[in-house]
Amino acid sequence: MARLVGINHVALEVGGLDEALAWYGRLFELKLRGRAGKRMAFIDMGDQFIALASGRTQPSDGARHFGLVVDDKEAVREHLREEGIPVAASGSLDFTDPWGNHIQVVAYRDIQFTKAPEILRGMKLDGLGKSEQALEELRAKGVAGGSSQT
């Protein structure tokens, strides 16, 4: 039986692609990987990507969501507030985009997800480390060494 290795990408359904790229570009540094006509745009995240697909038809998401990993969660919280998007003052950072996609933002240092050192270097994030709790979780699974950087 095949084992799950990771997620290649997530596709978010949005309105117009240019509008969605502009909206997300106000919150995150974006590097466009490419487009597939007027229907899809691909945003790089180092060795991964996220796809934006035009044509959302379903209602706004509630419990269904996906998580984005960032280097600075609190900077995202601040940008969301500046944009007038309601978010909690601290703790979990959840928001809904204009097309109804529910997004949760998490800090790289606090979760088990790990980028290879060469990928972090290529992203100019080579100093990005893990919290001791995240390292303990990784060690418990046998997938991390003992340093504070993974």
Side-chain angles (χ1 to χ4, degrees), residues 12-15 24 56 58-62 64-65 95-103:
L12 294 181
E13 291 180 333
V14 296
Y24 278 102
R56 179 154 173 132
Q58 68 267 24
S60 186
D61 295 328
R64 182 178 59 187
H65 70 279
F95 68 95
T96 303
D97 74 9
W99 305 277
N101 296 299
H102 179 158
I103 300 151

Side-chain angles (χ1 to χ4, degrees), residues 64-76:
R64 182 178 59 187
H65 70 279
F66 76 100
L68 285 176
V69 181
V70 298
D71 62 337
D72 189 344
K73 175 180 158 183
E74 294 311 313
V76 176

Side-chain angles (χ1 to χ4, degrees), residues 98-127:
W99 305 277
N101 296 299
H102 179 158
I103 300 151
Q104 185 175 75
V105 177
V106 296
Y108 177 83
R109 72 177 316 275
D110 295 328
I111 62 166
Q112 293 180 29
F113 168 81
T114 304
K115 291 271 192 195
E118 60 272 15
I119 301 298
L120 288 173
R121 271 193 304 279
M123 295 176 75
K124 299 185 182 7
L125 293 171
D126 28 358

Side-chain angles (χ1 to χ4, degrees), residues 3 5 9 13 17 20 129 133:
R3 291 177 53 195
V5 176
H9 69 279
E13 291 180 333
L17 289 182
Q133 180 179 345

Side-chain angles (χ1 to χ4, degrees), residues 78-101:
E78 182 179 323
H79 278 77
L80 288 165
R81 285 186 163 162
E82 289 169 1
E83 291 287 326
I85 299 165
V87 294
S90 63
S92 184
L93 180 51
D94 294 73
F95 68 95
T96 303
D97 74 9
W99 305 277
N101 296 299

Side-chain angles (χ1 to χ4, degrees), residues 45-58:
M45 296 186 298
D47 58 341
Q48 298 175 297
F49 69 96
I50 189 165
L52 300 178
S54 65
R56 179 154 173 132
T57 58
Q58 68 267 24

